[in-house]
């Protein structure tokens, strides 16, 4: 199994390099000039030309590519044109912010989705099954950006105007008085700011997981060994959670690797709407500012996270099904 994962990891290197090479040439061949954002009546054309030379933009494209590739191999992502800071200082901050949002969203997706799917399978064709199917399809078909705006209108704007006991924050990661809060207050404040973005990012995908979970559980609970477990007098909870759920988890674990890129792409919109300072918002601002080094660095991190997610799902697959380890 370890040899298999090592082979997958080595095979991902040319894949990542190919993705980054494609992004590099598409980005540099698109119309526009990064230094024009500094243009103003007080800045002479000579100054702009000097900035192009400083950024290396006056050199041929293939020279820029090999210089970028050599820096990238050495772990140097360059200097952000937009933030005027080394990218190696920026990346850890925005990566941690996105990981917080993504991990909470993954919990929302799989906990809620699996619970709904199990209830639907156990109560097949009942009123609860039909109602949960309707609700799941309703949220699954809803665009995440529109759902995010509705959450802000209801649980932040309307809740504040109507005097609800709790009005959730609509933007940012912390409140204005965050620095003056106690340790517990800071954790609570950060959690409150995470609720709406995590729900906006995760509920639609949770509905999809619920449909997969329902189908997988229905296949398992009609197997002979489940009838045998019930015939032995085991409680229904033991039969479902100990015998049926483990075998139904295999297709759900596969979804972990598939949902990670979906979450990262969805985070671009959700982080922008909620002003969450993460990878998604950073890449949008970098593209608009033609901040080439920042776009390349964030694209690499996102691609690497997708590869890691797929490796993680393969490893979990082997944990759930020992036959794969033996193969």
């Amino acid at each position: 199994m370890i040899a298999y994962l090592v082979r997958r990891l080595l095979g991902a290197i040319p894949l990542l390099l190919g993705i980054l090479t494609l992004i590099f040439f598409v980005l540099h061949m698109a119309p526009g000039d990064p230094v024009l954002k500094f243009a103003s009546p007080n800045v002479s054309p000579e100054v702009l030309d000097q900035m192009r030379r400083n950024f290396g933009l006056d050199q041929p494209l293939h020279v820029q590519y090999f210089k970028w590739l050599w820096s990238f191999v050495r772990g140097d992502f360059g200097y952000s044109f937009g933030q005027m800071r080394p990218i190696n200082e920026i990346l850890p901050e925005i990566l941690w912010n996105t990981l917080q949002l993504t991990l909470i969203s993954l919990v929302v997706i799989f906990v809620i989705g699996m619970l709904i799917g199990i209830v639907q399978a156990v109560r097949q064709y009942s009123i609860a099954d039909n109602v949960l199917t309707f609700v799941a399809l309703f949220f699954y078909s809803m665009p995440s950006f529109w759902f995010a705006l509705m959450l802000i209108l209801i649980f932040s704007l309307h809740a504040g105007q109507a005097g609800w006991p709790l009005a959730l924050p609509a933007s940012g990661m912390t409140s204005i008085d965050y620095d003056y809060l106690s340790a517990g207050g800071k954790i609570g404040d950060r959690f409150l700011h995470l609720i709406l973005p995590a729900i906006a990012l995760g509920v639609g995908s949770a509905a999809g997981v619920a449909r997969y979970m329902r189908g997988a559980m229905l296949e398992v609970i009609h197997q002979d060994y489940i009838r045998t477990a019930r015939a032995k007098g085991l409680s229904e909870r033991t039969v479902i959670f100990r015998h049926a759920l483990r075998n139904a988890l295999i297709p759900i674990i596969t979804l972990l690797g598939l949902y990670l890129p979906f979450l990262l792409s969805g985070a671009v919109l959700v982080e922008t709407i909620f002003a969450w300072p993460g990878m998604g918002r950073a890449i949008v601002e970098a593209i608009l500012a033609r901040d080439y080094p920042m776009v390349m660095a964030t694209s690499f991190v996102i691609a690497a996270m997708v590869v890691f997610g797929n490796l993680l799902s393969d490893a979990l697959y082997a944990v759930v099904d020992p036959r794969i380890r033996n193969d």
Side-chain angles (χ1 to χ4, degrees):
M1 184 63 194
I2 294 177
Y4 169 74
L5 292 177
V6 171
R7 285 198 304 272
R8 288 287 308 273
L9 196 60
L10 293 176
I13 294 175
L15 174 66
L16 289 174
L17 189 58
I19 293 172
L20 293 177
T21 301
L22 182 64
I23 294 174
F24 180 91
F25 284 103
V26 169
L27 195 63
H28 282 73
M29 288 189 291
D33 188 346
V35 301
L36 287 182
K37 65 174 291 187
F38 303 103
S40 74
N42 298 324
V43 178
S44 66
E46 290 75 15
V47 173
L48 296 179
D49 289 339
Q50 182 61 47
M51 293 181 72
R52 288 191 186 90
R53 286 192 290 274
N54 292 342
F55 291 148
L57 298 173
D58 60 325
Q59 298 175 340
L61 189 55
H62 66 280
V63 176
Q64 294 183 46
Y65 171 72
F66 285 111
K67 281 191 172 181
W68 166 81
L69 187 60
W70 176 240
S71 300
F72 170 75
V73 170
R74 291 180 297 157
D76 181 8
F77 291 108
Y79 203 80
S80 170
F81 298 165
Q83 302 189 34
M84 305 304 288
R85 293 170 57 197
I87 293 177
N88 286 342
E89 292 181 2
I90 302 171
L91 272 183
E93 301 172 7
I94 59 176
L95 178 60
W96 172 236
N97 295 340
T98 292
L99 282 178
Q100 293 179 61
L101 180 58
T102 305
L103 292 177
I104 296 296
S105 299
L106 277 176
V107 173
V108 171
I109 289 172
F110 284 93
V111 172
I112 294 178
M114 288 172 61
L115 287 176
I116 291 176
I118 291 171
V119 171
Q120 285 185 279
V122 174
R123 308 290 183 192
Q124 187 183 14
Y125 301 136
S126 65
I127 295 176
D129 182 22
N130 293 328
V131 170
L132 289 174
T133 299
F134 174 79
V135 173
L137 291 176
F138 175 77
F139 284 106
Y140 188 69
S141 59
M142 190 181 299
S144 60
F145 71 91
W146 186 83
F147 185 45
L149 294 175
M150 293 302 105
L151 288 175
I152 291 174
L153 285 176
I154 296 172
F155 295 102
S156 183
L157 181 62
H158 180 70
Q161 293 174 343
W164 289 9
L166 180 63
L168 295 172
S171 65
M173 291 182 64
T174 56
S175 301
I176 297 175
D177 58 347
Y178 179 80
D179 291 335
Y180 303 101
L181 296 175
S182 62
K186 289 181 178 179
I187 295 173
D189 184 69
R190 181 65 61 88
F191 178 73
L192 289 177
H193 282 79
L194 266 170
I195 292 176
L196 291 185
I199 291 176
L201 194 58
V203 166
S205 300
V209 170
R211 301 301 298 163
Y212 280 105
M213 192 72 218
R214 180 181 184 274
M217 284 293 290
L218 284 176
E219 287 185 9
V220 171
I221 61 178
H222 293 114
Q223 298 292 324
D224 290 339
Y225 68 90
I226 297 296
R227 293 194 195 95
T228 304
R230 284 173 172 151
K232 288 167 64 179
L234 298 177
S235 67
E236 188 66 14
R237 176 176 298 181
T238 303
V239 171
I240 294 299
F241 287 99
R242 180 173 297 177
H243 295 279
L245 180 59
R246 179 165 183 170
N247 292 287
L249 276 180
I250 294 177
I252 303 302
I253 288 175
T254 308
L255 293 177
L256 178 64
L258 298 177
Y259 271 113
L260 195 55
F262 183 75
L263 277 178
L264 292 172
S265 61
V268 174
L269 288 174
V270 172
E271 287 183 1
T272 303
I273 292 172
F274 287 98
W276 189 266
M279 297 280 295
R281 188 182 174 199
I283 198 170
V284 169
E285 292 176 350
I287 291 173
L288 294 177
R290 298 204 168 280
D291 189 349
Y292 297 154
M294 192 67 187
V295 175
M296 297 303 300
T298 50
S299 300
F300 166 73
V301 174
I302 290 175
M305 290 174 68
V306 171
V307 171
F308 174 75
N310 281 282
L311 285 174
L312 181 63
S313 67
D314 287 345
L316 291 176
Y317 214 92
V319 172
V320 175
D321 190 352
R323 294 171 299 179
I324 297 176
R325 277 178 285 176
N326 295 331
D327 293 340

